[in-house]
Amino acid sequence: MAASRGHYPEKSFTRPALAPAILAAMALMAGAALLGSEWFIVVRFAVAILVAVMGVFAVQARAYAWLVVIVPVVVAWNPVFPLTMGGAGWAAAHLIAPIALVIAGFLIKVPATSSDRSRR
């Protein structure tokens, strides 16, 4: 019993999509204030790249159901072929998408490899 004191249990998974989800949520919240300005293109790039990274982690975790949330966000905030949306719809998307992304980032779990476990 004393041998197990001070040791944490081994986790069999990691949540690598959580960090890009939080960063994308912060960019989306900042982007709500930048709607219509020339700096909004920076928000589009940041969100599209971070959410695409989340998509890679979702595929690695075989959590394909989360691609239903991830792919539309990547398409909507795509800076190369931008979608034009009305002001109210776009503002609402900037408030709803961060919630969905953080939930997805928390629930996407990638199985931990032996090298991940040795770093802890």
Side-chain angles (χ1 to χ4, degrees):
M1 188 158 169
S4 65
R5 181 179 264 180
H7 289 83
Y8 294 102
E10 291 287 326
K11 287 190 176 179
S12 60
F13 62 87
T14 61
R15 288 189 173 102
L18 187 57
I22 292 172
L23 291 173
M26 291 174 16
L28 284 166
M29 297 305 287
L34 296 173
L35 284 173
S37 73
E38 62 186 36
W39 286 97
F40 188 66
I41 190 75
V42 175
V43 173
R44 282 184 181 265
F45 271 105
V47 170
I49 291 168
L50 289 167
V51 177
V53 168
M54 284 182 64
V56 170
F57 289 135
V59 170
Q60 283 181 352
R62 295 186 176 152
Y64 301 116
W66 286 108
L67 293 177
V68 173
V69 173
I70 292 171
V71 171
V73 172
V74 172
V75 170
W77 275 271
N78 178 11
V80 178
F81 301 108
L83 292 178
T84 55
M85 230 188 293
W90 202 233
H94 273 271
L95 299 176
I96 294 170
I99 296 167
L101 290 176
V102 171
I103 291 170
F106 186 76
L107 294 177
I108 294 172
K109 298 175 185 177
V110 175
T113 61
S114 60
S115 63
D116 291 336
R117 290 185 193 125
S118 66
R119 286 188 271 167
R120 294 183 190 163

